[in-house]
Amino acid sequence: MSLNRFIRILPLIVILSGCETTPEQPSSQPDTKANPNIVVKEQNENIEQIAPLSPQELDDVWQRIRAQLTFSNSSHPDVQQRIAWYLSHPNYMDEISRRAEPYLYYIVTEVEKRNLPIELALMPLIESDFDASAYSHKHASGLWQLTPAIAKYFKVKISPWYDGRQDVIDSTRAALDFMEYLYKRFDGDWYHAIAAYNLGEGRVLRAISNNKKQGKPTDFFSLKLPQQTSQYVPKLLAAAQLLKSQKMAFPAIANKDAIAKIAISGSVILDNKAQWQQLEPLNYGVIRFPAIIDAPHLVVPASEQKQFETMIADQDSNDYSQWQHYTVKRGDSLSVIAKRYKVTVSQLKAFNNLKNSTIRIGQKLVLPQLADTQIEHKVKSGESLWKIANHYKVSITKLKQWNSLSSDRLKIGDKLTVFLSAS
C-alpha cells in the first residue's frame, strides 16, 4: 500500500474503530523518495476533510461527556460490582435521562468553563439520581445534595421562601466551588476530593493519615472509609466506564440550552397556577408558591424565555388579595413590623418594592404571609403523602419540602405543615 493511500485511509480507520483498537501497521514500506512536504500537505488536507466534531458540536450531551472522559478505567471489584448493577437495571438510565434533561447541558457547560474533569458532571447522578427536589435524612438537599453548612459557606441562600440548594444554578456554582477547594486541599487527587465531598474532608484526611502511620498505601481504594463513601467513588467510575464503553444505553439528551435564567429584583407573585406548574420542576428552590421571594432568579424553558421575561416585567398585574395587609401606625418602622410578623426587613422591602426604609402613617403594606393559609395536619391511620397532597391539592414535593421529609414514609400522629393559596 502506498503511503498516500494509507494516509487517506488511516483517519477513517481511527474514527470507525474508536479508541479501543489500534489499526495494524501497513505491510509495505513508505516510499523514501517521496517529497515529505507533499506528503504532509496531503495528510493535512485529508484530516481537514474528515475532522471529527468537537464535543460541543455533538448532538447528544451524553456523548459530549463521553468525548471528554479522562479518568482511567478501573478493574477494582467495587467498580465492577457497580457496573454489573447498572447493567442489571437497563431501565435505570431512562429515568435518569428524563430527570437530567433540563439540567445536564447547563451542568456540563459550567464544568467545562472551569476546566474541571467532565466526570464531575455525573456527580448529581450519584448524589440524587438527578432529582432536584431530593432531601436526605442528613438534611442535604437538591441535585448536588448540599448540606446547610456547606451551602452557607459557599453563599447559597436558604430562607423560609427560597432554598438555593434546590436551584440548579445556585447549587451547581456552590458544588463546583466546593470541588475546586477539595481538589486543592487533597493536593490534586480527584478520588480523594470526590470522597471528601461525600464524607467530609476531615474524615478522609484522617483515613489518609492513619494509612501513612501504618505504612499502607494512601490511594482511595486503600483507605478505610464508611461503606457509603467507599462505594461512592466506584459508583461514579462505573457510570463513566459504561458511558465510555457504550455497553449501556444512555438515552440521548439534546446538546443545547434547555433552560434560561431570568434575574429577579424584589419579589414576584406568579398567581397563574398553569404557568407555575410549568415552572415548578425547574424551580424547586421556590418554597411557597405563588410568592417568589429571596430568589435571585427564575429558571425557565429556554424556548420561552422572552415570554416569561415579559410576564415578570409586568408587575402591575400581581394579585395581592391573597396576602395579609397592614396599615402603618404611629411609632411603626419596618424593623418593628418585620419583628412582629416574623419576617425580615429585606423581605418586607422586597415584597412591597420599597427602595428604602422610609414609611408613613396610613401607608398600606403587603406582608409576605399568605392570609389564613398555614395549617397543621395530623396524620391519621391509612393516610399517605399522596392522599394528603391530593386532599389539599398541593404537590408531594412541596409537602416534603415544607416538612423536611427525606422519604415518603409517615407515622400515625405525625404533624405536617401545609401552606395553601387563598381561594
Side-chain angles (χ1 to χ4, degrees), residues 372-390:
D372 302 321
T373 55
Q374 180 175 338
I375 65 172
E376 188 177 82
H377 178 92
K378 190 173 183 179
V379 177
K380 304 177 185 66
S381 176
E383 286 189 324
S384 64
L385 275 180
W386 182 87
K387 286 185 178 180
I388 296 169
N390 190 55

Side-chain angles (χ1 to χ4, degrees), residues 32 49 88 118 147 175 180 202 220 281 333 338 347 362 398:
T32 56
Q49 290 173 5
S88 67
I118 202 65
T147 63
E180 287 181 331
F220 167 78
S333 66
Q347 288 172 350
K398 285 302 176 190

Side-chain angles (χ1 to χ4, degrees), residues 154-187:
F154 288 103
K155 296 179 173 55
V156 175
K157 185 179 291 185
I158 302 175
S159 79
W161 299 90
Y162 176 75
D163 188 341
R165 297 175 301 162
Q166 296 191 346
D167 174 84
V168 61
I169 293 169
D170 280 354
S171 65
T172 298
R173 174 193 57 76
L176 296 183
D177 284 350
F178 190 25
M179 286 306 307
E180 287 181 331
Y181 162 80
L182 291 171
Y183 178 67
K184 293 177 183 177
R185 188 75 175 88
F186 287 91
D187 300 321

Side-chain angles (χ1 to χ4, degrees), residues 120-264:
L120 301 190
L122 299 176
M123 285 179 62
L125 188 159
I126 312 304
E127 284 288 346
S128 64
D129 288 335
F130 274 101
D131 180 359
S133 65
Y135 193 94
S136 80
H137 67 283
K138 293 183 179 179
H139 305 296
S141 184
L143 289 168
W144 296 91
Q145 289 292 282
L146 298 173
T147 63
I150 292 298
K152 182 178 180 181
Y153 184 85
F154 288 103
K155 296 179 173 55
V156 175
K157 185 179 291 185
I158 302 175
S159 79
W161 299 90
Y162 176 75
D163 188 341
R165 297 175 301 162
Q166 296 191 346
D167 174 84
V168 61
I169 293 169
D170 280 354
S171 65
T172 298
R173 174 193 57 76
L176 296 183
D177 284 350
F178 190 25
M179 286 306 307
E180 287 181 331
Y181 162 80
L182 291 171
Y183 178 67
K184 293 177 183 177
R185 188 75 175 88
F186 287 91
D187 300 321
D189 189 311
W190 277 115
Y191 290 5
H192 287 166
I194 293 169
Y197 184 97
N198 176 256
L199 182 62
E201 60 183 295
R203 295 182 70 178
V204 177
L205 286 168
R206 285 195 293 274
I208 293 172
S209 177
N210 289 339
N211 274 29
K212 285 182 177 178
K213 290 176 183 177
Q214 298 173 45
K216 296 179 179 179
T218 58
D219 63 281
F220 167 78
F221 288 107
S222 298
L223 299 180
K224 187 176 182 180
L225 299 169
Q227 183 176 6
Q228 182 189 34
T229 305
S230 67
Q231 296 301 313
Y232 185 81
V233 174
K235 286 180 181 179
L236 183 66
L237 295 178
Q241 286 181 212
L242 282 172
L243 179 57
K244 186 189 297 185
S245 66
Q246 300 192 93
K247 291 181 180 178
M248 183 175 188
F250 285 68
I253 296 176
N255 191 18
K256 63 181 182 179
D257 279 314
I259 57 175
K261 178 179 74 173
I262 299 178
I264 292 177

